[in-house]
Amino acid sequence: MRSIWNGAISFGLVSIPIKLVNATESHAISFRQIHVTDGGRVRYRKVCELDGEEVSAAEIGKGYEEADGSIIPITDEDLARLPIATAKTIEIVSFVPADEIDPLQMDAAYYLAANGATAAKPYTLLREALKRSRKVAIAKFALRGRERLGMLRVVDDVIAMHGLLWPDEIRRPEGVAPETSVTVRDAELDLADALMATLGEVDIESLHDDYRGALEEMIAAKAGGAYEPAEAMAEPAGQVIDLMAALERSVQAAKASRGEGGGVPAEAGAGSGAGSGAEADVTPIRRKAAAAPKAVGGKKSTATSGSGAAKKTASGRKSTSASSSASAKKTGSAGGKSGGTKSTAAAAKKTAASGKKAATPRKRRSA
């Protein structure tokens, strides 16, 4: 890897020649600006304001603009001759526990490579001292025209340095936290802990940039002339209706994605109401027996004890029932509703007297 800075680590009276190498790289896809109407490139040309001529990179230098607009030229030689120790040296000033460094201060990361055979022994000494102390080194160094803070730590068998922002470069989070008073229940915290434990079990090496992959596929499809716009993803809901239910479903979905069975522990989902993931016993609902259909013509069915006898008589004495019915209809048509009722009652009494069981029809009410 190409070095971007050469210098030395100052470790007390020990000097370790090193080379600074970028530890990270960007895989972001960059775009060019184009003229929308014809697709032509839109370029930025660096032009001198005095003569109007375009200037090449080799002819461009640095300058400081004063309040009145005048420019003071600054050369690389001027910067290299500044009377500060960190111009070519990473000066270690202290060793502190790693948890004392606020991650907000983290900036770019670099690898420090031993520069030459004579640097191997002091480089290894500093690396092993950092390992054994379980601390990180805080250092000052100058890079690209400004002095910076750095944090040295061990990564595998290499000393890495993270650039740190100065404390006054970290903005205070004023007006960022919610202004309304919110109470969080223990049950909600239990579910949040369960979700954190489930999502935390992931190999970071398996994560990749889905956006860049989709962008590369889209560019390739457009280049091949076979691009078909995909349906846009739905925007996430702006409001959580049921926080407990959302947490429970999140835990279940995270477990399902990892092939884990089971629901949310009972103690975590207790009292959560709707959407609870805890298992529950199912009690079947007992339904009432369907009522017997009413007789044709508005007549009520006979009692249960008499219904069986009525069915038996009807099956064995079809002719008697038929003749009785015909007689009743004939009498009713000749003598009216009252005469028909009396004739039917008489036929029923005659059947009972002969010792045969029959269903006793209900008397009709006179009109």
mmCIF file of all heavy atoms in Angstrom, residues 304-326:
data_model
loop_
_atom_site.group_PDB
_atom_site.id
_atom_site.type_symbol
_atom_site.label_atom_id
_atom_site.label_comp_id
_atom_site.label_asym_id
_atom_site.label_seq_id
_atom_site.Cartn_x
_atom_site.Cartn_y
_atom_site.Cartn_z
ATOM 1 N N THR A 304 -90.671 -34.319 23.014
ATOM 2 C CA THR A 304 -89.684 -35.323 22.626
ATOM 3 C C THR A 304 -90.173 -36.727 22.899
ATOM 4 O O THR A 304 -89.921 -37.649 22.116
ATOM 5 C CB THR A 304 -88.377 -35.082 23.387
ATOM 6 O OG1 THR A 304 -87.975 -33.737 23.192
ATOM 7 C CG2 THR A 304 -87.288 -36.021 22.910
ATOM 8 N N SER A 305 -90.853 -36.924 24.027
ATOM 9 C CA SER A 305 -91.303 -38.274 24.382
ATOM 10 C C SER A 305 -92.343 -38.784 23.415
ATOM 11 O O SER A 305 -92.443 -39.993 23.172
ATOM 12 C CB SER A 305 -91.858 -38.282 25.811
ATOM 13 O OG SER A 305 -92.948 -37.371 25.897
ATOM 14 N N GLY A 306 -93.174 -37.905 22.867
ATOM 15 C CA GLY A 306 -94.226 -38.334 21.962
ATOM 16 C C GLY A 306 -93.815 -38.356 20.528
ATOM 17 O O GLY A 306 -94.508 -38.923 19.685
ATOM 18 N N SER A 307 -92.664 -37.726 20.211
ATOM 19 C CA SER A 307 -92.249 -37.643 18.811
ATOM 20 C C SER A 307 -91.836 -38.984 18.262
ATOM 21 O O SER A 307 -92.108 -39.329 17.123
ATOM 22 C CB SER A 307 -91.117 -36.627 18.669
ATOM 23 O OG SER A 307 -89.999 -37.050 19.406
ATOM 24 N N GLY A 308 -91.148 -39.788 19.122
ATOM 25 C CA GLY A 308 -90.728 -41.118 18.661
ATOM 26 C C GLY A 308 -91.914 -41.996 18.400
ATOM 27 O O GLY A 308 -91.964 -42.743 17.410
ATOM 28 N N ALA A 309 -92.925 -41.956 19.289
ATOM 29 C CA ALA A 309 -94.115 -42.766 19.083
ATOM 30 C C ALA A 309 -94.872 -42.314 17.858
ATOM 31 O O ALA A 309 -95.436 -43.127 17.122
ATOM 32 C CB ALA A 309 -95.004 -42.680 20.324
ATOM 33 N N ALA A 310 -94.907 -40.995 17.644
ATOM 34 C CA ALA A 310 -95.607 -40.499 16.469
ATOM 35 C C ALA A 310 -94.959 -40.983 15.196
ATOM 36 O O ALA A 310 -95.627 -41.340 14.235
ATOM 37 C CB ALA A 310 -95.641 -38.977 16.499
ATOM 38 N N LYS A 311 -93.544 -40.992 15.170
ATOM 39 C CA LYS A 311 -92.842 -41.468 13.977
ATOM 40 C C LYS A 311 -93.104 -42.949 13.743
ATOM 41 O O LYS A 311 -93.257 -43.409 12.614
ATOM 42 C CB LYS A 311 -91.335 -41.210 14.123
ATOM 43 C CG LYS A 311 -90.982 -39.735 14.067
ATOM 44 C CD LYS A 311 -89.492 -39.538 14.216
ATOM 45 C CE LYS A 311 -89.132 -38.066 14.165
ATOM 46 N NZ LYS A 311 -87.693 -37.866 14.329
ATOM 47 N N LYS A 312 -93.152 -43.741 14.879
ATOM 48 C CA LYS A 312 -93.390 -45.188 14.746
ATOM 49 C C LYS A 312 -94.775 -45.470 14.196
ATOM 50 O O LYS A 312 -94.977 -46.315 13.322
ATOM 51 C CB LYS A 312 -93.206 -45.846 16.107
ATOM 52 C CG LYS A 312 -93.368 -47.361 16.076
ATOM 53 C CD LYS A 312 -93.087 -47.934 17.448
ATOM 54 C CE LYS A 312 -93.236 -49.453 17.413
ATOM 55 N NZ LYS A 312 -93.000 -50.052 18.746
ATOM 56 N N THR A 313 -95.791 -44.746 14.715
ATOM 57 C CA THR A 313 -97.162 -44.928 14.254
ATOM 58 C C THR A 313 -97.299 -44.509 12.803
ATOM 59 O O THR A 313 -97.966 -45.155 12.008
ATOM 60 C CB THR A 313 -98.110 -44.101 15.129
ATOM 61 O OG1 THR A 313 -97.931 -44.486 16.476
ATOM 62 C CG2 THR A 313 -99.560 -44.303 14.717
ATOM 63 N N ALA A 314 -96.596 -43.378 12.463
ATOM 64 C CA ALA A 314 -96.689 -42.894 11.092
ATOM 65 C C ALA A 314 -96.097 -43.883 10.116
ATOM 66 O O ALA A 314 -96.586 -44.041 9.001
ATOM 67 C CB ALA A 314 -95.996 -41.536 10.976
ATOM 68 N N SER A 315 -94.992 -44.579 10.527
ATOM 69 C CA SER A 315 -94.376 -45.540 9.619
ATOM 70 C C SER A 315 -95.173 -46.823 9.485
ATOM 71 O O SER A 315 -95.147 -47.490 8.453
ATOM 72 C CB SER A 315 -92.946 -45.856 10.108
ATOM 73 O OG SER A 315 -93.021 -46.436 11.392
ATOM 74 N N GLY A 316 -95.887 -47.197 10.568
ATOM 75 C CA GLY A 316 -96.616 -48.477 10.525
ATOM 76 C C GLY A 316 -98.055 -48.351 10.077
ATOM 77 O O GLY A 316 -98.647 -49.335 9.623
ATOM 78 N N ARG A 317 -98.626 -47.212 10.214
ATOM 79 C CA ARG A 317 -100.044 -47.050 9.906
ATOM 80 C C ARG A 317 -100.247 -45.904 8.924
ATOM 81 O O ARG A 317 -100.932 -44.932 9.195
ATOM 82 C CB ARG A 317 -100.834 -46.782 11.187
ATOM 83 C CG ARG A 317 -100.716 -47.871 12.244
ATOM 84 C CD ARG A 317 -101.355 -49.163 11.783
ATOM 85 N NE ARG A 317 -101.238 -50.191 12.813
ATOM 86 C CZ ARG A 317 -101.730 -51.424 12.673
ATOM 87 N NH1 ARG A 317 -102.350 -51.779 11.561
ATOM 88 N NH2 ARG A 317 -101.583 -52.296 13.639
ATOM 89 N N LYS A 318 -99.603 -45.967 7.788
ATOM 90 C CA LYS A 318 -99.715 -44.901 6.803
ATOM 91 C C LYS A 318 -101.143 -44.749 6.299
ATOM 92 O O LYS A 318 -101.634 -43.659 6.073
ATOM 93 C CB LYS A 318 -98.782 -45.155 5.617
ATOM 94 C CG LYS A 318 -97.321 -45.023 5.959
ATOM 95 C CD LYS A 318 -96.456 -45.231 4.741
ATOM 96 C CE LYS A 318 -94.989 -45.068 5.076
ATOM 97 N NZ LYS A 318 -94.146 -45.296 3.894
ATOM 98 N N SER A 319 -101.831 -45.910 6.151
ATOM 99 C CA SER A 319 -103.194 -45.838 5.605
ATOM 100 C C SER A 319 -104.136 -45.160 6.566
ATOM 101 O O SER A 319 -105.007 -44.381 6.169
ATOM 102 C CB SER A 319 -103.692 -47.252 5.284
ATOM 103 O OG SER A 319 -103.691 -48.054 6.456
ATOM 104 N N THR A 320 -103.986 -45.444 7.899
ATOM 105 C CA THR A 320 -104.862 -44.831 8.895
ATOM 106 C C THR A 320 -104.669 -43.335 8.933
ATOM 107 O O THR A 320 -105.622 -42.556 8.996
ATOM 108 C CB THR A 320 -104.587 -45.446 10.276
ATOM 109 O OG1 THR A 320 -104.755 -46.834 10.212
ATOM 110 C CG2 THR A 320 -105.525 -44.851 11.318
ATOM 111 N N SER A 321 -103.369 -42.906 8.902
ATOM 112 C CA SER A 321 -103.085 -41.473 8.919
ATOM 113 C C SER A 321 -103.616 -40.780 7.693
ATOM 114 O O SER A 321 -104.157 -39.673 7.749
ATOM 115 C CB SER A 321 -101.575 -41.223 9.027
ATOM 116 O OG SER A 321 -101.077 -41.815 10.209
ATOM 117 N N ALA A 322 -103.471 -41.501 6.568
ATOM 118 C CA ALA A 322 -103.933 -40.897 5.321
ATOM 119 C C ALA A 322 -105.437 -40.741 5.307
ATOM 120 O O ALA A 322 -105.979 -39.719 4.892
ATOM 121 C CB ALA A 322 -103.467 -41.741 4.128
ATOM 122 N N SER A 323 -106.130 -41.822 5.787
ATOM 123 C CA SER A 323 -107.587 -41.745 5.799
ATOM 124 C C SER A 323 -108.084 -40.712 6.796
ATOM 125 O O SER A 323 -109.047 -40.014 6.552
ATOM 126 C CB SER A 323 -108.185 -43.123 6.141
ATOM 127 O OG SER A 323 -107.742 -43.524 7.421
ATOM 128 N N SER A 324 -107.404 -40.605 7.953
ATOM 129 C CA SER A 324 -107.801 -39.607 8.952
ATOM 130 C C SER A 324 -107.614 -38.206 8.419
ATOM 131 O O SER A 324 -108.437 -37.318 8.641
ATOM 132 C CB SER A 324 -106.979 -39.784 10.237
ATOM 133 O OG SER A 324 -107.219 -41.063 10.775
ATOM 134 N N SER A 325 -106.474 -38.014 7.697
ATOM 135 C CA SER A 325 -106.199 -36.685 7.152
ATOM 136 C C SER A 325 -107.201 -36.311 6.093
ATOM 137 O O SER A 325 -107.691 -35.190 6.022
ATOM 138 C CB SER A 325 -104.772 -36.641 6.580
ATOM 139 O OG SER A 325 -104.515 -35.404 5.993
ATOM 140 N N ALA A 326 -107.528 -37.312 5.241
ATOM 141 C CA ALA A 326 -108.502 -37.043 4.180
ATOM 142 C C ALA A 326 -109.867 -36.765 4.763
ATOM 143 O O ALA A 326 -110.592 -35.876 4.308
ATOM 144 C CB ALA A 326 -108.562 -38.236 3.221
#
